[in-house]
Amino acid sequence: MDCRFILSGFDGEALLQELKGLIRTIPDYPKPGILFRDVTTLFGDAQGLKAAVTQMAEPFRGLPIDAVAGIEARGFILGGAIADRLGCGFIPIRKKGKLPWKTIGQEYSLEYGVDVIEIHEDALAPGQRILIVDDLIATGGTAEAAVKLVRRSGGTIVGATFIIDLSDLGGLALLKGHGINCQALVAFEGH
Ligand code: AMP
């Protein structure tokens, strides 16, 4: 197996630079002008995946958390691993029409038009403490909709954690404006 990511002692900045180097950038996908930040290359590296999960979970370790809410689809891969690491449950937040039971939906804006994400109406009990997980935050619209879904379900948001922040787009600031304790491991400029 090709494991390029070497955890040799802890050097925070070097570790994050190595993680950043495992993310593949694909120009003009899915449309012209977008730099798609592809984390499948990081997921495919055993030590890279382990380090990403560890660092995403780290600020929330030891806090009372009932469940991770992962956003479809890359948020499921990370969210399941982080939930296991924190010893809590996992709740899927999915695109409209994918969940099999009764749902609560939340609209959010895209560049053109709107989209909807959903959560099972009985996914969490009132007062449960939830950590939101996705691979990347851009404008923050998707994560903001997830925050609204959890709060409408009676949950409390403990925080939100991402691998990548597209820092020019202001998503982390948007979440902080909602009082969310949020972090991303690495930042990229541009869209
Ligand atoms: P946003 O709602 O603008 O914060 O967009 C975040 C969601 O869109 C996440 O689920 C990301 O996986 C996906 N996304 C947005 N922009 C990109 C990008 N440049 N590369 C990869 N995924 C992206």
Side-chain angles (χ1 to χ4, degrees), residues 4-11 15 18 47-48 50-51 54-55:
R4 284 164 292 145
F5 190 85
I6 309 296
L7 271 172
S8 49
F10 185 77
D11 175 345
L15 184 149
E18 287 198 66
Q47 293 190 59
K50 184 189 279 287
T54 300
Q55 295 304 316

Side-chain angles (χ1 to χ4, degrees), residues 11-78:
D11 175 345
E13 190 50 38
L15 184 149
L16 296 179
Q17 285 307 317
E18 287 198 66
L19 277 183
K20 200 170 179 178
L22 288 171
I23 297 163
R24 172 167 55 194
T25 297
I26 305 171
D28 299 320
Y29 182 88
K31 55 186 182 181
I34 301 291
L35 289 172
F36 191 84
R37 305 299 180 174
D38 174 21
V39 291
T40 64
T41 41
L42 188 158
F43 288 172
D45 185 287
Q47 293 190 59
L49 178 62
K50 184 189 279 287
V53 168
T54 300
Q55 295 304 316
M56 289 175 83
E58 189 55 36
F60 306 101
R61 191 181 295 278
L63 299 180
I65 296 176
D66 295 297
V68 164
I71 301 173
E72 183 176 0
R74 293 176 292 272
F76 290 178
I77 297 161
L78 294 162

Side-chain angles (χ1 to χ4, degrees), residues 83-101:
D84 181 63
R85 202 64 76 80
L86 294 175
C88 66
F90 177 83
I91 294 169
I93 293 180
R94 299 207 65 178
K95 305 271 165 57
K96 187 177 174 60
K98 299 281 192 178
L99 287 167
W101 184 239

Side-chain angles (χ1 to χ4, degrees), residues 85-148:
R85 202 64 76 80
L86 294 175
C88 66
F90 177 83
I91 294 169
I93 293 180
R94 299 207 65 178
K95 305 271 165 57
K96 187 177 174 60
K98 299 281 192 178
L99 287 167
W101 184 239
K102 294 173 190 167
T103 58
I104 304 169
Q106 181 68 49
E107 268 191 5
Y108 61 102
S109 298
L110 301 171
E111 198 173 350
Y112 304 105
V114 293
D115 213 339
V116 177
I117 53 173
E118 296 180 332
I119 192 169
H120 275 147
E121 65 172 19
D122 58 357
L124 56 121
Q128 282 199 315
R129 296 169 55 82
I130 305 298
L131 174 65
I132 290 175
V133 171
D134 203 356
D135 67 324
L136 179 149
I137 183 161
T139 64
T142 313
E144 182 185 41
V147 165
K148 288 179 180 169

Side-chain angles (χ1 to χ4, degrees), residues 147-167:
V147 165
K148 288 179 180 169
L149 275 182
V150 168
R151 288 183 170 165
R152 284 171 56 204
S153 304
T156 298
I157 312 278
V158 178
T161 186
F162 308 87
I163 300 176
I164 302 164
D165 172 33
L166 298 189
S167 48

